[in-house]
Amino acid sequence: MEARSGRHVRWPLVGLLIAAVVSVACSGGGLADPEGERPAPSGSAASPGPSTTRADSTTSVAEFEQDVADAQAIAERYWAAQFKASGQRFQPVKRITPYQREGEVSCGGQPLPRNNAVYCSRGDFIAYDVRWSVAAFRQVGDAFVFYLLGHEYAHGIQVRLGINYSFTIQQELQADCMAGAYLGDSVRSGALTLAEGDLDEFREGLAAVGDDPDQPWFAEGAHGTAEQRTDSFFRGYEQSLGACDLG
Ligand SMILES: [Zn+2]
């Protein structure tokens, strides 16, 4: 995947880490369970696409920060255009805040734990443990940043639209769909360019992010099985927001 700026975005597949990361990348008031990082197998079965170079398999904090900024900019442009098209004013999420220590940032009086990323509806901000996120970025690939930001940003959009499902899983699967739509539509608009093999990498990556099969679907914190999450993401990716039940 290549951002319009010309930088390339890879998503090597490291399933276990993705599973840990996305299952804690949670929403709203619910500050997800701090599962922490799991050891992930090194290396990747995915070979770089033709327009992807090894040289840009970025690992520096500066590159990470640039990816966060790019993902934020693309998300803001995307959602601003969607709101404008339906005649509504769009307010971007107030800020995206890195933190390093437990309790350094709070959401509605609740200190954010290490190894997490959340959208906080009380303060309308996204916050992420920067060390944990950089570690995930280094192990998974930089496209992960675009997905993570897209998912958390979608929670901010849900709040703007007044969407509040009874069950966490509905909120989460919709956010996956919206993250898929933001990525798919950005590819269609040319804001992002996929390299050959990237779609398979998304698919394989998403297949790894599901809840445990014995997780009750109605449980607090449930995000959905691998199949549900993959279906939701690609419904949005392929069919855009019309497939995300935004009403
Ligand atoms: Zn979430």
Side-chain angles (χ1 to χ4, degrees), residues 4-226:
R4 188 181 271 158
S5 64
R7 290 174 322 93
H8 300 275
V9 179
R10 285 198 315 140
W11 191 343
L13 175 66
V14 187
L16 278 179
L17 181 61
I18 300 176
V21 166
V22 177
S23 66
V24 300
C26 212
S27 69
L31 301 178
D33 48 330
E35 282 183 32
E37 290 169 57
R38 291 175 186 162
S42 60
S44 169
S47 57
S51 68
T52 309
T53 63
R54 287 289 179 192
D56 68 12
S57 57
T58 53
T59 57
S60 74
V61 171
E63 292 275 6
F64 168 81
E65 288 171 347
Q66 186 60 52
D67 282 333
V68 171
D70 285 352
Q72 178 180 9
I74 290 173
E76 284 178 0
R77 240 180 295 148
Y78 176 70
W79 289 110
Q82 303 306 315
F83 275 60
K84 191 176 177 193
S86 60
Q88 297 175 65
R89 253 178 73 86
F90 174 68
Q91 286 291 345
V93 167
K94 278 195 187 123
R95 64 185 189 280
I96 297 181
T97 303
Y99 63 90
Q100 295 191 21
R101 295 183 309 280
E102 178 168 351
E104 182 181 335
V105 177
S106 293
C107 173
Q110 202 178 348
L112 299 184
R114 294 281 313 280
N115 306 327
N116 212 342
V118 302
Y119 167 74
C120 175
S121 56
R122 298 280 187 88
D124 188 36
F125 64 86
I126 291 166
Y128 60 91
D129 177 338
V130 65
R131 288 197 191 114
W132 169 78
S133 302
V134 167
F137 158 79
R138 285 178 173 155
Q139 287 192 276
V140 180
D142 46 6
F144 176 76
V145 175
F146 286 76
Y147 171 76
L148 185 66
L149 261 291
H151 177 95
E152 301 304 338
Y153 215 99
H155 285 314
I157 301 300
Q158 288 172 323
V159 166
R160 282 156 176 70
L161 297 176
I163 294 169
N164 193 5
Y165 284 109
S166 307
F167 294 105
T168 306
I169 189 173
Q170 296 171 296
Q171 205 83 12
E172 294 303 325
L173 290 177
Q174 185 180 60
D176 280 338
C177 182
M178 294 164 76
Y182 134 84
L183 284 167
D185 285 344
S186 294
V187 167
R188 284 183 281 274
S189 74
L192 289 170
T193 305
L194 286 189
E196 199 178 330
D198 279 335
L199 271 182
D200 286 338
E201 291 175 20
F202 276 128
R203 201 176 296 280
E204 289 170 45
L206 276 151
V209 302
D211 292 333
D212 288 340
D214 52 357
Q215 164 94 292
W217 68 267
F218 49 83
E220 183 69 32
H223 284 62
T225 64

